[in-house]
Amino acid sequence: MSKKMAVSYIKERAIEKIEPKERERFVEIVETELIGLHKGNIARYRLRPAEYEDWKIKWTVQ
């Protein structure tokens, strides 16, 4: 999904799952992790290289 779609999705899930007082920080952490995603850390998230490449293409398209 694109950055815009991802931000919307993260916020929606946070509303459903995260306590109100912790939502803002949760969203900030998730967005930071997505921005910092690269080939060197995809194993941390159990992503295959092909999944990362597919995500990267979609992420960079606005």
Side-chain angles (χ1 to χ4, degrees):
M1 68 181 59
S2 69
K3 288 180 189 179
K4 188 175 183 177
M5 290 174 63
V7 169
S8 177
Y9 181 83
I10 293 163
K11 288 179 180 177
E12 288 173 15
R13 297 295 87 70
I15 289 169
E16 294 173 4
K17 307 283 184 181
I18 306 299
E19 295 290 326
K21 65 182 181 178
E22 298 182 13
R23 282 184 195 146
E24 186 176 331
R25 180 71 178 134
F26 172 80
V27 169
E28 180 183 326
I29 290 169
V30 173
E31 289 176 354
T32 300
E33 292 298 313
L34 284 173
I35 290 167
L37 192 62
H38 56 81
K39 285 186 179 183
N41 68 1
I42 62 173
R44 174 186 302 171
Y45 304 102
R46 297 183 179 171
L47 294 173
R48 291 175 288 152
E51 291 173 319
Y52 168 74
E53 292 299 330
D54 185 48
W55 169 83
K56 185 178 172 185
I57 290 167
K58 292 175 183 172
W59 182 257
T60 56
V61 174
Q62 293 289 347

